[in-house]
């Protein structure tokens, strides 16, 4: 799998370790020790995925992720020594696709990178046969072939995970989909109790769609059961 990976960590030992494992899998790796260097690199190089440490000398990894998301939609994985739920939710809310807690198993990190790249590759595949790949209702148009989504003639800039969640809900329109089923289908991992990942991404989708949280028109919460689109 050929791809350019950006590793941003001010601890050289960690950055070097991650670089060795990623290069052994055939990836090209850029390493930066600061947010400023990372932003400069993203502006001049093609990056397919970024691994961002939360604690950086000049800017938090969360803020760096937010800056990257202004222009780019490639996957972002946060590397954090913090284990609190709020730190994880913060990362997902500002646009991260996944997070890994330090200390981590390098093999698990490589597996997470590959999973995100597979999803990103599918997101950017050329258009397939039209018809079944387009859902159009109530002003919402979502095209699985081009991975474009429009709401009232305004294009929504969705990340691959946001797109997959919205497509799954639209494809099962009228049915309640549990958070467990959404997580295991979209992320391809076993769902664990008290996992807030789906909730955070639903919140982000609603924000991009301009939906009020208390009375949304599209993505509705069925308390204790899951989510649905009518």
């Amino acid at each position: 799998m050929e791809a350019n990976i950006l590793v941003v960590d001010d601890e050289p030992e960690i950055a070097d370790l991650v670089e060795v494992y990623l290069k052994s899998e055939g990836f090209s790796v850029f390493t930066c020790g600061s947010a400023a260097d990372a932003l400069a690199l993203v502006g001049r190089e093609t990056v397919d995925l970024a691994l961002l440490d939360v604690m950086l000398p000049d800017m938090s990894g969360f803020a760096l992720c937010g800056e990257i998301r202004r222009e780019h939609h490639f996957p972002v994985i946060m590397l954090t020594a913090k284990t609190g739920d709020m730190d994880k939710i913060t990362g997902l809310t500002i646009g991260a696709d996944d997070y890994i807690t330090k200390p981590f198993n390098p093999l698990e990190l490589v597996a997470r990178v590959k999973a995100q790249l597979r999803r990103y590759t599918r997101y950017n595949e050329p258009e397939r046969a039209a018809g079944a790949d387009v859902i159009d209702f109530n002003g919402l148009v979502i095209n699985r072939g081009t991975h474009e989504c429009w709401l009232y003639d305004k294009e929504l800039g969705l990340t691959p995970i946001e797109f997959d969640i919205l497509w799954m809900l639209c494809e099962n329109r009228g049915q309640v989909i549990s958070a467990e089923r959404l997580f295991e289908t979209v992320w391809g991992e076993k769902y664990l109790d008290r996992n807030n990942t789906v909730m955070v991404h639903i919140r982000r989708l609603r924000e991009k769609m301009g939906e009020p949280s208390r009375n949304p028109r599209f993505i509705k919460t069925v308390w204790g059961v899951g989510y649905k689109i009518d």
Side-chain angles (χ1 to χ4, degrees):
M1 183 183 294
E2 296 182 2
N4 295 328
I5 311 298
L6 170 62
V7 179
V8 187
D9 199 309
D10 63 339
E11 296 184 60
E13 299 84 0
I14 294 178
D16 291 346
L17 176 66
V18 172
E19 181 177 9
V20 167
Y21 273 86
L22 290 174
K23 283 188 172 180
S24 71
E25 295 293 326
F27 296 116
S28 297
V29 180
F30 303 111
T31 60
C32 294
S34 69
D37 288 346
L39 288 172
L41 188 141
V42 168
R44 67 175 185 269
E45 301 284 354
T46 298
V47 174
D48 298 300
L49 181 144
L51 293 160
L52 310 181
D53 184 31
V54 169
M55 304 297 291
L56 295 171
D58 53 344
M59 180 188 296
S60 76
F62 297 139
L64 173 57
C65 180
E67 289 296 317
I68 289 174
R69 279 287 173 256
R70 293 177 183 272
E71 301 288 340
H72 306 279
H73 295 294
F74 55 73
V76 173
I77 300 176
M78 306 300 299
L79 301 177
T80 174
K82 300 181 178 181
T83 58
D85 285 344
M86 285 309 300
D87 293 308
K88 297 172 184 177
I89 290 173
T90 298
L92 295 172
T93 299
I94 49 82
D97 298 279
D98 200 358
Y99 56 85
I100 298 177
T101 303
K102 296 179 179 179
F104 52 81
N105 183 327
L107 296 178
E108 178 188 355
L109 182 145
V110 171
R112 297 281 192 94
V113 166
K114 288 182 176 179
Q116 289 295 333
L117 286 172
R118 282 195 297 269
R119 182 177 294 114
Y120 184 59
T121 299
R122 291 200 309 269
Y123 182 85
N124 288 283
E125 284 177 348
E127 184 173 4
R128 297 172 292 176
D133 282 352
V134 178
I135 296 174
D136 183 352
F137 70 98
N138 293 340
L140 177 66
V141 179
I142 181 167
N143 188 320
R144 187 168 59 179
T146 61
H147 281 266
E148 294 176 322
C149 182
W150 298 77
L151 181 60
Y152 307 131
D153 296 325
K154 177 183 178 181
E155 186 173 8
L156 305 179
L158 303 183
T159 66
I161 284 180
E162 291 167 352
F163 186 94
D164 287 349
I165 290 173
L166 187 58
W167 177 267
M168 186 173 178
L169 290 172
C170 289
E171 193 174 35
N172 296 276
R173 184 179 170 193
Q175 300 178 40
V176 180
I177 308 297
S178 68
E180 177 179 359
R181 182 180 168 193
L182 274 169
F183 184 85
E184 293 186 351
T185 299
V186 173
W187 277 264
E189 300 177 12
K190 183 66 177 176
Y191 180 84
L192 301 176
D193 290 340
R194 300 184 63 189
N195 189 327
N196 295 316
T197 303
V198 173
M199 178 190 70
V200 172
H201 280 82
I202 291 290
R203 181 194 306 161
R204 219 164 68 193
L205 267 171
R206 284 173 173 159
E207 289 174 354
K208 289 187 176 182
M209 297 171 76
E211 291 263 84
S213 58
R214 293 198 173 187
N215 188 29
R217 181 181 179 191
F218 288 97
I219 304 176
K220 299 181 179 179
T221 301
V222 181
W223 295 107
V225 184
Y227 303 94
K228 71 174 182 177
I229 283 184
D230 289 323

